Amino acid sequence: MSEKWKRNTTLFLSSQAISLFGTSLVQYAITWYITLETQSGVMMTLAVICGFLPTVLLSPFAGVWADRYDRKMLIVLSDSMIAVATLILAILFWMGYEAVWLLFVVSGIRALGSGVQTPAIGAFLPQFVPQEKLTQVNATNTSIQSAVMLVSPMLSGALLAMTGIEAIFFIDVITALIGVSILLGLVKVPSHTRAQGEPMGTYFADMRAGLDYVMSHGFVKRICLFNAVFFVLIAPTAFLTPLQVARSFGEDVWRLTALEIAYSGGMIVGGCVMAAWAGFRNKVYTMALSNLIVGASAVALGVVPLFWVYLFFVGLMGLAFPLFNTPFTVLLQQKIEGDYLGRVFGVIGVVTSMAPLAMLLFGPVADLMRIEWLLIGTGVLMCVVSFLMLASRVLVAAGEP
């Protein structure tokens, strides 16, 4: 049994890393293409909305699917759908149809696939990973994905400069095929109980039951509220820093590449820290510390005048995110009943999408005022949120082992 879960975990994480590599290449290429071609906050907002709004709309439904159907097959189908959409885009660009609106359309389709994958993956891991190993596996997954994201912006930037964006699209199709093949052929995990034929209620009854479960669960309800506020505040830092770099430091592709490398490098370090340390005994303390570091780093990004110092704080922010994501994911996987995991992760997907939705406000504002002021203001408020988390008795109690 010990060897079986380790084998499945290794193969699953490998398949996701390979698929993520191609996805990251495309995501960076699209973002940089739009940034350098338009230098418009409004266009960046449209790109962000197209890349995340479908996830917001689909997540509640996808959460129900993850609790009703085979989670592995949901991951396979979503990966395949993304690959087909990317292949069509690659062919169109190769033929000379290089319209920005095509990037928006395909970003929307890719977001639909992500909306299906996120709750399915979150609920799938506890099916074969022992409870006591979830922190280590989630932290290791973060480090692996961060390592992939460290390499992909460098390669994406090089390909974008040397060839064309369509070459990156074709690479994504190949990596998706490899990832799907590993998942289908080598990862052997039985379906969860409900997907094996247990009698089900109606689809919307399932969705309603999931929402009722979230609202009646003190920890989940409160952490969703805190996360919603935090993700609204982090929008300028998450989506406007490439535009800030282009405006304030220079329009060179290498600067945008360095930005992503610094962040991914920090994520690798943070993932390794969590795999070795596992955080404070109370997981909520670790999460609050992460939010405080992110808020303070956002303020720093609004005031530092030197690009290399700017990159240091980007890396520090990257280091902080695994300190939140790992204990947060583990708390959900440990405290939520297995039959509700997919629906809870579906709700979390909606919450995390508050950041791109907030770009409806911050994107146009970025064309009217300096991005630095947005970073300072939202960074201070994120620090306040971290202290409010520690003041919540429900959250602190849930964070205890």
Side-chain angles (χ1 to χ4, degrees), residues 1-15 124-125 128-129 182-183 186-190:
M1 180 66 181
S2 174
E3 292 304 317
K4 185 176 181 180
W5 81 261
K6 289 180 180 178
R7 177 181 180 275
N8 280 328
T9 299
T10 301
L11 290 170
F12 178 71
L13 296 186
S14 299
S15 72
F124 185 53
L125 275 174
F128 57 92
V129 177
I182 293 174
L183 198 54
L186 300 176
V187 179
K188 305 297 183 182
V189 178

mmCIF file with all atom_site columns, all heavy atoms in Angstrom, residues 1-15 124-125 128-129 182-183 186-190:
data_model
loop_
_atom_site.group_PDB
_atom_site.id
_atom_site.type_symbol
_atom_site.label_atom_id
_atom_site.label_alt_id
_atom_site.label_comp_id
_atom_site.label_asym_id
_atom_site.label_entity_id
_atom_site.label_seq_id
_atom_site.pdbx_PDB_ins_code
_atom_site.Cartn_x
_atom_site.Cartn_y
_atom_site.Cartn_z
_atom_site.occupancy
_atom_site.B_iso_or_equiv
_atom_site.pdbx_formal_charge
_atom_site.auth_seq_id
_atom_site.auth_comp_id
_atom_site.auth_asym_id
_atom_site.auth_atom_id
_atom_site.pdbx_PDB_model_num
ATOM 1   N N   . MET A 1 1   ? 0.835   -1.209 0.000   1.00 0.00 ? 1   MET A N   1
ATOM 2   C CA  . MET A 1 1   ? 0.000   0.000  0.000   1.00 0.00 ? 1   MET A CA  1
ATOM 3   C C   . MET A 1 1   ? 0.865   1.253  0.000   1.00 0.00 ? 1   MET A C   1
ATOM 4   O O   . MET A 1 1   ? 0.618   2.218  -0.717  1.00 0.00 ? 1   MET A O   1
ATOM 5   C CB  . MET A 1 1   ? -0.920  -0.005 1.247   1.00 0.00 ? 1   MET A CB  1
ATOM 6   C CG  . MET A 1 1   ? -1.831  1.218  1.358   1.00 0.00 ? 1   MET A CG  1
ATOM 7   S SD  . MET A 1 1   ? -3.044  1.258  0.014   1.00 0.00 ? 1   MET A SD  1
ATOM 8   C CE  . MET A 1 1   ? -3.912  2.768  0.409   1.00 0.00 ? 1   MET A CE  1
ATOM 9   N N   . SER A 1 2   ? 1.966   1.225  0.785   1.00 0.00 ? 2   SER A N   1
ATOM 10  C CA  . SER A 1 2   ? 2.858   2.365  0.880   1.00 0.00 ? 2   SER A CA  1
ATOM 11  C C   . SER A 1 2   ? 3.452   2.694  -0.487  1.00 0.00 ? 2   SER A C   1
ATOM 12  O O   . SER A 1 2   ? 3.475   3.843  -0.918  1.00 0.00 ? 2   SER A O   1
ATOM 13  C CB  . SER A 1 2   ? 3.968   2.097  1.894   1.00 0.00 ? 2   SER A CB  1
ATOM 14  O OG  . SER A 1 2   ? 4.904   3.142  1.895   1.00 0.00 ? 2   SER A OG  1
ATOM 15  N N   . GLU A 1 3   ? 3.926   1.653  -1.179  1.00 0.00 ? 3   GLU A N   1
ATOM 16  C CA  . GLU A 1 3   ? 4.545   1.876  -2.474  1.00 0.00 ? 3   GLU A CA  1
ATOM 17  C C   . GLU A 1 3   ? 3.519   2.323  -3.519  1.00 0.00 ? 3   GLU A C   1
ATOM 18  O O   . GLU A 1 3   ? 3.831   3.108  -4.416  1.00 0.00 ? 3   GLU A O   1
ATOM 19  C CB  . GLU A 1 3   ? 5.238   0.595  -2.937  1.00 0.00 ? 3   GLU A CB  1
ATOM 20  C CG  . GLU A 1 3   ? 6.448   0.206  -2.105  1.00 0.00 ? 3   GLU A CG  1
ATOM 21  C CD  . GLU A 1 3   ? 7.498   1.318  -2.046  1.00 0.00 ? 3   GLU A CD  1
ATOM 22  O OE1 . GLU A 1 3   ? 7.760   1.932  -3.100  1.00 0.00 ? 3   GLU A OE1 1
ATOM 23  O OE2 . GLU A 1 3   ? 8.024   1.570  -0.960  1.00 0.00 ? 3   GLU A OE2 1
ATOM 24  N N   . LYS A 1 4   ? 2.282   1.852  -3.383  1.00 0.00 ? 4   LYS A N   1
ATOM 25  C CA  . LYS A 1 4   ? 1.259   2.179  -4.368  1.00 0.00 ? 4   LYS A CA  1
ATOM 26  C C   . LYS A 1 4   ? 0.916   3.667  -4.321  1.00 0.00 ? 4   LYS A C   1
ATOM 27  O O   . LYS A 1 4   ? 0.823   4.319  -5.363  1.00 0.00 ? 4   LYS A O   1
ATOM 28  C CB  . LYS A 1 4   ? 0.007   1.328  -4.117  1.00 0.00 ? 4   LYS A CB  1
ATOM 29  C CG  . LYS A 1 4   ? -1.065  1.520  -5.182  1.00 0.00 ? 4   LYS A CG  1
ATOM 30  C CD  . LYS A 1 4   ? -2.247  0.588  -4.935  1.00 0.00 ? 4   LYS A CD  1
ATOM 31  C CE  . LYS A 1 4   ? -3.304  0.776  -6.014  1.00 0.00 ? 4   LYS A CE  1
ATOM 32  N NZ  . LYS A 1 4   ? -4.469  -0.107 -5.808  1.00 0.00 ? 4   LYS A NZ  1
ATOM 33  N N   . TRP A 1 5   ? 0.708   4.226  -3.122  1.00 0.00 ? 5   TRP A N   1
ATOM 34  C CA  . TRP A 1 5   ? 0.342   5.638  -3.055  1.00 0.00 ? 5   TRP A CA  1
ATOM 35  C C   . TRP A 1 5   ? 1.515   6.524  -3.486  1.00 0.00 ? 5   TRP A C   1
ATOM 36  O O   . TRP A 1 5   ? 1.311   7.574  -4.111  1.00 0.00 ? 5   TRP A O   1
ATOM 37  C CB  . TRP A 1 5   ? -0.173  6.035  -1.670  1.00 0.00 ? 5   TRP A CB  1
ATOM 38  C CG  . TRP A 1 5   ? 0.853   6.324  -0.603  1.00 0.00 ? 5   TRP A CG  1
ATOM 39  C CD1 . TRP A 1 5   ? 1.280   5.494  0.380   1.00 0.00 ? 5   TRP A CD1 1
ATOM 40  C CD2 . TRP A 1 5   ? 1.565   7.563  -0.411  1.00 0.00 ? 5   TRP A CD2 1
ATOM 41  N NE1 . TRP A 1 5   ? 2.222   6.116  1.170   1.00 0.00 ? 5   TRP A NE1 1
ATOM 42  C CE2 . TRP A 1 5   ? 2.405   7.390  0.717   1.00 0.00 ? 5   TRP A CE2 1
ATOM 43  C CE3 . TRP A 1 5   ? 1.576   8.789  -1.067  1.00 0.00 ? 5   TRP A CE3 1
ATOM 44  C CZ2 . TRP A 1 5   ? 3.248   8.395  1.195   1.00 0.00 ? 5   TRP A CZ2 1
ATOM 45  C CZ3 . TRP A 1 5   ? 2.413   9.795  -0.595  1.00 0.00 ? 5   TRP A CZ3 1
ATOM 46  C CH2 . TRP A 1 5   ? 3.230   9.597  0.522   1.00 0.00 ? 5   TRP A CH2 1
ATOM 47  N N   . LYS A 1 6   ? 2.734   6.094  -3.174  1.00 0.00 ? 6   LYS A N   1
ATOM 48  C CA  . LYS A 1 6   ? 3.901   6.869  -3.594  1.00 0.00 ? 6   LYS A CA  1
ATOM 49  C C   . LYS A 1 6   ? 4.032   6.871  -5.119  1.00 0.00 ? 6   LYS A C   1
ATOM 50  O O   . LYS A 1 6   ? 4.339   7.894  -5.733  1.00 0.00 ? 6   LYS A O   1
ATOM 51  C CB  . LYS A 1 6   ? 5.163   6.309  -2.950  1.00 0.00 ? 6   LYS A CB  1
ATOM 52  C CG  . LYS A 1 6   ? 5.267   6.556  -1.457  1.00 0.00 ? 6   LYS A CG  1
ATOM 53  C CD  . LYS A 1 6   ? 6.557   5.973  -0.894  1.00 0.00 ? 6   LYS A CD  1
ATOM 54  C CE  . LYS A 1 6   ? 6.657   6.226  0.615   1.00 0.00 ? 6   LYS A CE  1
ATOM 55  N NZ  . LYS A 1 6   ? 7.885   5.633  1.187   1.00 0.00 ? 6   LYS A NZ  1
ATOM 56  N N   . ARG A 1 7   ? 3.782   5.707  -5.717  1.00 0.00 ? 7   ARG A N   1
ATOM 57  C CA  . ARG A 1 7   ? 3.864   5.610  -7.179  1.00 0.00 ? 7   ARG A CA  1
ATOM 58  C C   . ARG A 1 7   ? 2.803   6.483  -7.833  1.00 0.00 ? 7   ARG A C   1
ATOM 59  O O   . ARG A 1 7   ? 3.091   7.241  -8.770  1.00 0.00 ? 7   ARG A O   1
ATOM 60  C CB  . ARG A 1 7   ? 3.683   4.152  -7.613  1.00 0.00 ? 7   ARG A CB  1
ATOM 61  C CG  . ARG A 1 7   ? 3.683   3.945  -9.125  1.00 0.00 ? 7   ARG A CG  1
ATOM 62  C CD  . ARG A 1 7   ? 3.485   2.470  -9.483  1.00 0.00 ? 7   ARG A CD  1
ATOM 63  N NE  . ARG A 1 7   ? 3.496   2.267  -10.931 1.00 0.00 ? 7   ARG A NE  1
ATOM 64  C CZ  . ARG A 1 7   ? 2.439   2.415  -11.704 1.00 0.00 ? 7   ARG A CZ  1
ATOM 65  N NH1 . ARG A 1 7   ? 1.258   2.755  -11.169 1.00 0.00 ? 7   ARG A NH1 1
ATOM 66  N NH2 . ARG A 1 7   ? 2.535   2.206  -13.018 1.00 0.00 ? 7   ARG A NH2 1
ATOM 67  N N   . ASN A 1 8   ? 1.566   6.384  -7.359  1.00 0.00 ? 8   ASN A N   1
ATOM 68  C CA  . ASN A 1 8   ? 0.485   7.189  -7.921  1.00 0.00 ? 8   ASN A CA  1
ATOM 69  C C   . ASN A 1 8   ? 0.748   8.682  -7.734  1.00 0.00 ? 8   ASN A C   1
ATOM 70  O O   . ASN A 1 8   ? 0.487   9.485  -8.633  1.00 0.00 ? 8   ASN A O   1
ATOM 71  C CB  . ASN A 1 8   ? -0.849  6.813  -7.275  1.00 0.00 ? 8   ASN A CB  1
ATOM 72  C CG  . ASN A 1 8   ? -1.440  5.544  -7.865  1.00 0.00 ? 8   ASN A CG  1
ATOM 73  O OD1 . ASN A 1 8   ? -1.255  5.253  -9.047  1.00 0.00 ? 8   ASN A OD1 1
ATOM 74  N ND2 . ASN A 1 8   ? -2.149  4.778  -7.049  1.00 0.00 ? 8   ASN A ND2 1
ATOM 75  N N   . THR A 1 9   ? 1.273   9.030  -6.562  1.00 0.00 ? 9   THR A N   1
ATOM 76  C CA  . THR A 1 9   ? 1.562   10.441 -6.291  1.00 0.00 ? 9   THR A CA  1
ATOM 77  C C   . THR A 1 9   ? 2.642   10.964 -7.232  1.00 0.00 ? 9   THR A C   1
ATOM 78  O O   . THR A 1 9   ? 2.519   12.044 -7.815  1.00 0.00 ? 9   THR A O   1
ATOM 79  C CB  . THR A 1 9   ? 2.013   10.632 -4.833  1.00 0.00 ? 9   THR A CB  1
ATOM 80  O OG1 . THR A 1 9   ? 0.959   10.209 -3.957  1.00 0.00 ? 9   THR A OG1 1
ATOM 81  C CG2 . THR A 1 9   ? 2.334   12.093 -4.557  1.00 0.00 ? 9   THR A CG2 1
ATOM 82  N N   . THR A 1 10  ? 3.714   10.187 -7.402  1.00 0.00 ? 10  THR A N   1
ATOM 83  C CA  . THR A 1 10  ? 4.806   10.594 -8.286  1.00 0.00 ? 10  THR A CA  1
ATOM 84  C C   . THR A 1 10  ? 4.330   10.760 -9.720  1.00 0.00 ? 10  THR A C   1
ATOM 85  O O   . THR A 1 10  ? 4.642   11.758 -10.388 1.00 0.00 ? 10  THR A O   1
ATOM 86  C CB  . THR A 1 10  ? 5.951   9.561  -8.239  1.00 0.00 ? 10  THR A CB  1
ATOM 87  O OG1 . THR A 1 10  ? 6.429   9.441  -6.899  1.00 0.00 ? 10  THR A OG1 1
ATOM 88  C CG2 . THR A 1 10  ? 7.091   9.976  -9.156  1.00 0.00 ? 10  THR A CG2 1
ATOM 89  N N   . LEU A 1 11  ? 3.553   9.800  -10.205 1.00 0.00 ? 11  LEU A N   1
ATOM 90  C CA  . LEU A 1 11  ? 3.064   9.864  -11.583 1.00 0.00 ? 11  LEU A CA  1
ATOM 91  C C   . LEU A 1 11  ? 2.074   11.014 -11.767 1.00 0.00 ? 11  LEU A C   1
ATOM 92  O O   . LEU A 1 11  ? 2.120   11.729 -12.778 1.00 0.00 ? 11  LEU A O   1
ATOM 93  C CB  . LEU A 1 11  ? 2.406   8.539  -11.968 1.00 0.00 ? 11  LEU A CB  1
ATOM 94  C CG  . LEU A 1 11  ? 3.350   7.346  -12.136 1.00 0.00 ? 11  LEU A CG  1
ATOM 95  C CD1 . LEU A 1 11  ? 2.555   6.050  -12.265 1.00 0.00 ? 11  LEU A CD1 1
ATOM 96  C CD2 . LEU A 1 11  ? 4.242   7.551  -13.372 1.00 0.00 ? 11  LEU A CD2 1
ATOM 97  N N   . PHE A 1 12  ? 1.203   11.202 -10.799 1.00 0.00 ? 12  PHE A N   1
ATOM 98  C CA  . PHE A 1 12  ? 0.205   12.269 -10.917 1.00 0.00 ? 12  PHE A CA  1
ATOM 99  C C   . PHE A 1 12  ? 0.874   13.636 -10.915 1.00 0.00 ? 12  PHE A C   1
ATOM 100 O O   . PHE A 1 12  ? 0.569   14.491 -11.762 1.00 0.00 ? 12  PHE A O   1
ATOM 101 C CB  . PHE A 1 12  ? -0.804  12.179 -9.771  1.00 0.00 ? 12  PHE A CB  1
ATOM 102 C CG  . PHE A 1 12  ? -1.830  13.279 -9.788  1.00 0.00 ? 12  PHE A CG  1
ATOM 103 C CD1 . PHE A 1 12  ? -2.819  13.297 -10.748 1.00 0.00 ? 12  PHE A CD1 1
ATOM 104 C CD2 . PHE A 1 12  ? -1.787  14.302 -8.857  1.00 0.00 ? 12  PHE A CD2 1
ATOM 105 C CE1 . PHE A 1 12  ? -3.761  14.323 -10.784 1.00 0.00 ? 12  PHE A CE1 1
ATOM 106 C CE2 . PHE A 1 12  ? -2.719  15.325 -8.872  1.00 0.00 ? 12  PHE A CE2 1
ATOM 107 C CZ  . PHE A 1 12  ? -3.709  15.341 -9.843  1.00 0.00 ? 12  PHE A CZ  1
ATOM 108 N N   . LEU A 1 13  ? 1.791   13.856 -9.969  1.00 0.00 ? 13  LEU A N   1
ATOM 109 C CA  . LEU A 1 13  ? 2.477   15.145 -9.911  1.00 0.00 ? 13  LEU A CA  1
ATOM 110 C C   . LEU A 1 13  ? 3.314   15.379 -11.174 1.00 0.00 ? 13  LEU A C   1
ATOM 111 O O   . LEU A 1 13  ? 3.412   16.511 -11.661 1.00 0.00 ? 13  LEU A O   1
ATOM 112 C CB  . LEU A 1 13  ? 3.361   15.222 -8.666  1.00 0.00 ? 13  LEU A CB  1
ATOM 113 C CG  . LEU A 1 13  ? 2.647   15.175 -7.307  1.00 0.00 ? 13  LEU A CG  1
ATOM 114 C CD1 . LEU A 1 13  ? 3.635   15.401 -6.176  1.00 0.00 ? 13  LEU A CD1 1
ATOM 115 C CD2 . LEU A 1 13  ? 1.522   16.207 -7.239  1.00 0.00 ? 13  LEU A CD2 1
ATOM 116 N N   . SER A 1 14  ? 3.890   14.303 -11.702 1.00 0.00 ? 14  SER A N   1
ATOM 117 C CA  . SER A 1 14  ? 4.668   14.434 -12.938 1.00 0.00 ? 14  SER A CA  1
ATOM 118 C C   . SER A 1 14  ? 3.784   14.844 -14.108 1.00 0.00 ? 14  SER A C   1
ATOM 119 O O   . SER A 1 14  ? 4.144   15.720 -14.909 1.00 0.00 ? 14  SER A O   1
ATOM 120 C CB  . SER A 1 14  ? 5.379   13.123 -13.263 1.00 0.00 ? 14  SER A CB  1
ATOM 121 O OG  . SER A 1 14  ? 6.289   12.766 -12.235 1.00 0.00 ? 14  SER A OG  1
ATOM 122 N N   . SER A 1 15  ? 2.626   14.201 -14.225 1.00 0.00 ? 15  SER A N   1
ATOM 123 C CA  . SER A 1 15  ? 1.710   14.537 -15.321 1.00 0.00 ? 15  SER A CA  1
ATOM 124 C C   . SER A 1 15  ? 1.242   15.978 -15.238 1.00 0.00 ? 15  SER A C   1
ATOM 125 O O   . SER A 1 15  ? 1.162   16.685 -16.251 1.00 0.00 ? 15  SER A O   1
ATOM 126 C CB  . SER A 1 15  ? 0.497   13.600 -15.317 1.00 0.00 ? 15  SER A CB  1
ATOM 127 O OG  . SER A 1 15  ? -0.376  13.893 -14.241 1.00 0.00 ? 15  SER A OG  1
ATOM 128 N N   . PHE A 1 124 ? -9.142  15.119 -5.622  1.00 0.00 ? 124 PHE A N   1
ATOM 129 C CA  . PHE A 1 124 ? -8.570  13.850 -6.073  1.00 0.00 ? 124 PHE A CA  1
ATOM 130 C C   . PHE A 1 124 ? -7.417  13.378 -5.186  1.00 0.00 ? 124 PHE A C   1
ATOM 131 O O   . PHE A 1 124 ? -7.313  12.192 -4.844  1.00 0.00 ? 124 PHE A O   1
ATOM 132 C CB  . PHE A 1 124 ? -8.103  14.002 -7.521  1.00 0.00 ? 124 PHE A CB  1
ATOM 133 C CG  . PHE A 1 124 ? -7.601  12.739 -8.163  1.00 0.00 ? 124 PHE A CG  1
ATOM 134 C CD1 . PHE A 1 124 ? -8.374  11.586 -8.166  1.00 0.00 ? 124 PHE A CD1 1
ATOM 135 C CD2 . PHE A 1 124 ? -6.360  12.702 -8.783  1.00 0.00 ? 124 PHE A CD2 1
ATOM 136 C CE1 . PHE A 1 124 ? -7.921  10.415 -8.766  1.00 0.00 ? 124 PHE A CE1 1
ATOM 137 C CE2 . PHE A 1 124 ? -5.895  11.544 -9.384  1.00 0.00 ? 124 PHE A CE2 1
ATOM 138 C CZ  . PHE A 1 124 ? -6.678  10.395 -9.373  1.00 0.00 ? 124 PHE A CZ  1
ATOM 139 N N   . LEU A 1 125 ? -6.544  14.294 -4.789  1.00 0.00 ? 125 LEU A N   1
ATOM 140 C CA  . LEU A 1 125 ? -5.359  13.915 -4.014  1.00 0.00 ? 125 LEU A CA  1
ATOM 141 C C   . LEU A 1 125 ? -5.676  13.120 -2.750  1.00 0.00 ? 125 LEU A C   1
ATOM 142 O O   . LEU A 1 125 ? -5.029  12.106 -2.477  1.00 0.00 ? 125 LEU A O   1
ATOM 143 C CB  . LEU A 1 125 ? -4.537  15.161 -3.662  1.00 0.00 ? 125 LEU A CB  1
ATOM 144 C CG  . LEU A 1 125 ? -3.535  15.652 -4.716  1.00 0.00 ? 125 LEU A CG  1
ATOM 145 C CD1 . LEU A 1 125 ? -2.910  16.965 -4.291  1.00 0.00 ? 125 LEU A CD1 1
ATOM 146 C CD2 . LEU A 1 125 ? -2.450  14.602 -4.959  1.00 0.00 ? 125 LEU A CD2 1
ATOM 147 N N   . PHE A 1 128 ? -5.871  9.082  -2.606  1.00 0.00 ? 128 PHE A N   1
ATOM 148 C CA  . PHE A 1 128 ? -4.769  8.112  -2.579  1.00 0.00 ? 128 PHE A CA  1
ATOM 149 C C   . PHE A 1 128 ? -3.585  8.544  -1.734  1.00 0.00 ? 128 PHE A C   1
ATOM 150 O O   . PHE A 1 128 ? -2.651  7.776  -1.539  1.00 0.00 ? 128 PHE A O   1
ATOM 151 C CB  . PHE A 1 128 ? -4.298  7.796  -4.015  1.00 0.00 ? 128 PHE A CB  1
ATOM 152 C CG  . PHE A 1 128 ? -3.846  8.983  -4.823  1.00 0.00 ? 128 PHE A CG  1
ATOM 153 C CD1 . PHE A 1 128 ? -2.511  9.372  -4.838  1.00 0.00 ? 128 PHE A CD1 1
ATOM 154 C CD2 . PHE A 1 128 ? -4.759  9.703  -5.574  1.00 0.00 ? 128 PHE A CD2 1
ATOM 155 C CE1 . PHE A 1 128 ? -2.097  10.460 -5.591  1.00 0.00 ? 128 PHE A CE1 1
ATOM 156 C CE2 . PHE A 1 128 ? -4.345  10.789 -6.339  1.00 0.00 ? 128 PHE A CE2 1
ATOM 157 C CZ  . PHE A 1 128 ? -3.015  11.172 -6.340  1.00 0.00 ? 128 PHE A CZ  1
ATOM 158 N N   . VAL A 1 129 ? -3.607  9.773  -1.212  1.00 0.00 ? 129 VAL A N   1
ATOM 159 C CA  . VAL A 1 129 ? -2.529  10.239 -0.334  1.00 0.00 ? 129 VAL A CA  1
ATOM 160 C C   . VAL A 1 129 ? -2.987  10.136 1.123   1.00 0.00 ? 129 VAL A C   1
ATOM 161 O O   . VAL A 1 129 ? -4.051  10.640 1.473   1.00 0.00 ? 129 VAL A O   1
ATOM 162 C CB  . VAL A 1 129 ? -2.145  11.701 -0.645  1.00 0.00 ? 129 VAL A CB  1
ATOM 163 C CG1 . VAL A 1 129 ? -1.071  12.191 0.325   1.00 0.00 ? 129 VAL A CG1 1
ATOM 164 C CG2 . VAL A 1 129 ? -1.654  11.825 -2.081  1.00 0.00 ? 129 VAL A CG2 1
ATOM 165 N N   . ILE A 1 182 ? -0.004  9.988  -19.399 1.00 0.00 ? 182 ILE A N   1
ATOM 166 C CA  . ILE A 1 182 ? 0.469   9.475  -18.106 1.00 0.00 ? 182 ILE A CA  1
ATOM 167 C C   . ILE A 1 182 ? -0.703  9.255  -17.164 1.00 0.00 ? 182 ILE A C   1
ATOM 168 O O   . ILE A 1 182 ? -0.812  8.208  -16.498 1.00 0.00 ? 182 ILE A O   1
ATOM 169 C CB  . ILE A 1 182 ? 1.480   10.454 -17.476 1.00 0.00 ? 182 ILE A CB  1
ATOM 170 C CG1 . ILE A 1 182 ? 2.760   10.508 -18.310 1.00 0.00 ? 182 ILE A CG1 1
ATOM 171 C CG2 . ILE A 1 182 ? 1.805   10.049 -16.037 1.00 0.00 ? 182 ILE A CG2 1
ATOM 172 C CD1 . ILE A 1 182 ? 3.752   11.562 -17.838 1.00 0.00 ? 182 ILE A CD1 1
ATOM 173 N N   . LEU A 1 183 ? -1.593  10.229 -17.111 1.00 0.00 ? 183 LEU A N   1
ATOM 174 C CA  . LEU A 1 183 ? -2.721  10.147 -16.191 1.00 0.00 ? 183 LEU A CA  1
ATOM 175 C C   . LEU A 1 183 ? -3.653  8.997  -16.554 1.00 0.00 ? 183 LEU A C   1
ATOM 176 O O   . LEU A 1 183 ? -4.120  8.251  -15.682 1.00 0.00 ? 183 LEU A O   1
ATOM 177 C CB  . LEU A 1 183 ? -3.480  11.479 -16.212 1.00 0.00 ? 183 LEU A CB  1
ATOM 178 C CG  . LEU A 1 183 ? -4.425  11.789 -15.051 1.00 0.00 ? 183 LEU A CG  1
ATOM 179 C CD1 . LEU A 1 183 ? -3.707  11.676 -13.723 1.00 0.00 ? 183 LEU A CD1 1
ATOM 180 C CD2 . LEU A 1 183 ? -5.011  13.178 -15.219 1.00 0.00 ? 183 LEU A CD2 1
ATOM 181 N N   . LEU A 1 186 ? -1.162  5.330  -16.554 1.00 0.00 ? 186 LEU A N   1
ATOM 182 C CA  . LEU A 1 186 ? -0.295  4.888  -15.460 1.00 0.00 ? 186 LEU A CA  1
ATOM 183 C C   . LEU A 1 186 ? -0.835  5.158  -14.055 1.00 0.00 ? 186 LEU A C   1
ATOM 184 O O   . LEU A 1 186 ? -0.491  4.445  -13.121 1.00 0.00 ? 186 LEU A O   1
ATOM 185 C CB  . LEU A 1 186 ? 1.088   5.546  -15.604 1.00 0.00 ? 186 LEU A CB  1
ATOM 186 C CG  . LEU A 1 186 ? 1.847   5.237  -16.911 1.00 0.00 ? 186 LEU A CG  1
ATOM 187 C CD1 . LEU A 1 186 ? 3.156   6.024  -16.950 1.00 0.00 ? 186 LEU A CD1 1
ATOM 188 C CD2 . LEU A 1 186 ? 2.104   3.745  -17.035 1.00 0.00 ? 186 LEU A CD2 1
ATOM 189 N N   . VAL A 1 187 ? -1.632  6.192  -13.884 1.00 0.00 ? 187 VAL A N   1
ATOM 190 C CA  . VAL A 1 187 ? -2.167  6.509  -12.545 1.00 0.00 ? 187 VAL A CA  1
ATOM 191 C C   . VAL A 1 187 ? -3.405  5.662  -12.296 1.00 0.00 ? 187 VAL A C   1
ATOM 192 O O   . VAL A 1 187 ? -4.457  5.868  -12.912 1.00 0.00 ? 187 VAL A O   1
ATOM 193 C CB  . VAL A 1 187 ? -2.500  8.011  -12.427 1.00 0.00 ? 187 VAL A CB  1
ATOM 194 C CG1 . VAL A 1 187 ? -3.081  8.315  -11.039 1.00 0.00 ? 187 VAL A CG1 1
ATOM 195 C CG2 . VAL A 1 187 ? -1.251  8.860  -12.661 1.00 0.00 ? 187 VAL A CG2 1
ATOM 196 N N   . LYS A 1 188 ? -3.283  4.705  -11.383 1.00 0.00 ? 188 LYS A N   1
ATOM 197 C CA  . LYS A 1 188 ? -4.370  3.766  -11.101 1.00 0.00 ? 188 LYS A CA  1
ATOM 198 C C   . LYS A 1 188 ? -4.990  4.078  -9.739  1.00 0.00 ? 188 LYS A C   1
ATOM 199 O O   . LYS A 1 188 ? -4.476  3.683  -8.694  1.00 0.00 ? 188 LYS A O   1
ATOM 200 C CB  . LYS A 1 188 ? -3.843  2.325  -11.116 1.00 0.00 ? 188 LYS A CB  1
ATOM 201 C CG  . LYS A 1 188 ? -3.116  1.931  -12.405 1.00 0.00 ? 188 LYS A CG  1
ATOM 202 C CD  . LYS A 1 188 ? -4.036  1.973  -13.617 1.00 0.00 ? 188 LYS A CD  1
ATOM 203 C CE  . LYS A 1 188 ? -3.316  1.518  -14.889 1.00 0.00 ? 188 LYS A CE  1
ATOM 204 N NZ  . LYS A 1 188 ? -4.192  1.590  -16.076 1.00 0.00 ? 188 LYS A NZ  1
ATOM 205 N N   . VAL A 1 189 ? -6.092  4.818  -9.767  1.00 0.00 ? 189 VAL A N   1
ATOM 206 C CA  . VAL A 1 189 ? -6.796  5.191  -8.541  1.00 0.00 ? 189 VAL A CA  1
ATOM 207 C C   . VAL A 1 189 ? -8.284  4.912  -8.745  1.00 0.00 ? 189 VAL A C   1
ATOM 208 O O   . VAL A 1 189 ? -8.885  5.430  -9.694  1.00 0.00 ? 189 VAL A O   1
ATOM 209 C CB  . VAL A 1 189 ? -6.593  6.683  -8.197  1.00 0.00 ? 189 VAL A CB  1
ATOM 210 C CG1 . VAL A 1 189 ? -7.375  7.051  -6.939  1.00 0.00 ? 189 VAL A CG1 1
ATOM 211 C CG2 . VAL A 1 189 ? -5.112  6.991  -8.000  1.00 0.00 ? 189 VAL A CG2 1
ATOM 212 N N   . PRO A 1 190 ? -8.905  4.083  -7.885  1.00 0.00 ? 190 PRO A N   1
ATOM 213 C CA  . PRO A 1 190 ? -10.337 3.817  -8.021  1.00 0.00 ? 190 PRO A CA  1
ATOM 214 C C   . PRO A 1 190 ? -11.152 5.095  -7.858  1.00 0.00 ? 190 PRO A C   1
ATOM 215 O O   . PRO A 1 190 ? -10.746 6.021  -7.143  1.00 0.00 ? 190 PRO A O   1
ATOM 216 C CB  . PRO A 1 190 ? -10.629 2.829  -6.885  1.00 0.00 ? 190 PRO A CB  1
ATOM 217 C CG  . PRO A 1 190 ? -9.301  2.267  -6.508  1.00 0.00 ? 190 PRO A CG  1
ATOM 218 C CD  . PRO A 1 190 ? -8.302  3.330  -6.767  1.00 0.00 ? 190 PRO A CD  1
#
